[in-house]
Amino acid sequence: GAQADLKSWRVCHYSASQRRRMPGSSATLVPETGVQRDWEEREFAQSIQLGIKSLAQFLNEFENTTRTKLASLNSKIARLERRMTLVEATFDSVNQPPAATS
């Protein structure tokens, strides 16, 4: 009877419209139903999906930003390598001993 009915209730935290109080109790008790569990599971799954979507969005933006920065760095390095080659060639030409004349 009464004990079995009490076992079918569990303490939950819901909005005021969903709360029910048992006489003489300060705890909020709501009957646990399959529908309620289903909604809770759906909300949990939805929050997981939203988290995954946000993570994927961040990773895509990070990849695009990183790719752009690396491309810029690559072009700067290529420009520096060309300048180094020119400086080395100029240095080598200045540093060569004069040709012997006979």
Side-chain angles (χ1 to χ4, degrees):
Q3 282 189 337
D5 290 337
L6 286 176
K7 287 182 182 179
S8 69
W9 294 77
R10 71 179 180 137
V11 176
C12 298
H13 301 285
Y14 290 96
S15 66
S17 64
Q18 294 173 311
R19 293 181 181 177
R20 298 182 193 165
R21 295 197 184 273
M22 291 192 62
S25 172
S26 62
T28 302
L29 299 169
V30 178
E32 185 176 329
T33 65
V35 172
Q36 201 170 29
R37 268 184 268 129
D38 183 54
W39 275 107
E40 289 171 358
E41 290 170 3
R42 287 173 189 247
E43 286 175 349
F44 178 73
Q46 189 176 22
S47 68
I48 296 295
Q49 287 174 340
L50 182 61
I52 291 170
K53 182 179 176 183
S54 297
L55 179 61
Q57 217 169 15
F58 166 76
L59 290 174
N60 285 332
E61 289 173 10
F62 179 78
E63 188 264 343
N64 286 335
T65 302
T66 305
R67 187 178 297 271
T68 301
K69 288 181 179 182
L70 285 174
S72 173
L73 214 72
N74 190 41
S75 68
K76 289 177 183 179
I77 290 173
R79 201 171 32 239
L80 283 172
E81 286 174 341
R82 286 191 303 270
R83 286 182 184 169
M84 268 310 271
T85 303
L86 179 64
V87 168
E88 286 174 349
T90 304
F91 182 75
D92 287 343
S93 70
V94 170
N95 230 7
Q96 288 181 353
T101 53
S102 27

